[in-house]
Amino acid sequence: MNDVYVLLSILAMGAVTFMIRALPFLGGRWLKQSPVARRVGVFLPPAIMALLTVHSVVDLGFAAPGQLLPAIVSVLVALALQVYARQPLASIAAATVLYMLWTQLAA
């Protein structure tokens, strides 16, 4: 493979990556005023987290059926702590510790 081709490919990928990262900052004023962007900003993060959680628990249920109950209980604990305390880091940490202890001590 030609060295110039590789170098140009790397530069092109770097430029595209930079533009993708810079675009929200360049359009910040428009994003603050846009009701669509505001609605997406409120709705999308919880939707992504829910999708990732469901995907992980379902995938775990097929891969290791014995670990499905600890996963579901841990997700419910994280959800309950989040609703009660509104501290995402504490909710995630508590649920992770619960899941790890449950699966390691039960083995």
Side-chain angles (χ1 to χ4, degrees):
M1 191 174 287
N2 189 355
D3 289 341
V4 174
Y5 175 76
V6 172
L7 182 62
L8 288 175
S9 297
I10 291 171
L11 288 174
M13 287 185 279
V16 168
T17 301
F18 176 77
M19 288 306 296
I20 289 172
R21 306 234 188 234
L23 197 60
F25 295 105
L26 296 174
R29 190 175 312 152
W30 175 81
L31 287 172
K32 286 181 183 177
Q33 297 171 352
S34 170
V36 173
R38 202 172 295 138
R39 179 181 291 170
V40 167
V42 169
F43 172 75
L44 204 55
I48 291 172
M49 291 304 293
L51 181 66
L52 289 173
T53 302
V54 168
H55 180 280
S56 298
V57 170
V58 168
D59 191 37
L60 182 64
F62 289 129
Q67 294 183 353
L68 185 60
L69 180 62
I72 291 173
V73 170
S74 297
V75 167
L76 293 174
V77 165
L79 182 64
L81 284 173
Q82 182 59 28
V83 167
Y84 176 72
R86 297 267 183 219
Q87 295 291 328
L89 186 59
S91 301
I92 293 169
T96 302
V97 167
L98 173 67
Y99 177 77
M100 286 294 150
L101 286 175
W102 192 340
T103 57
Q104 296 301 316
L105 294 176

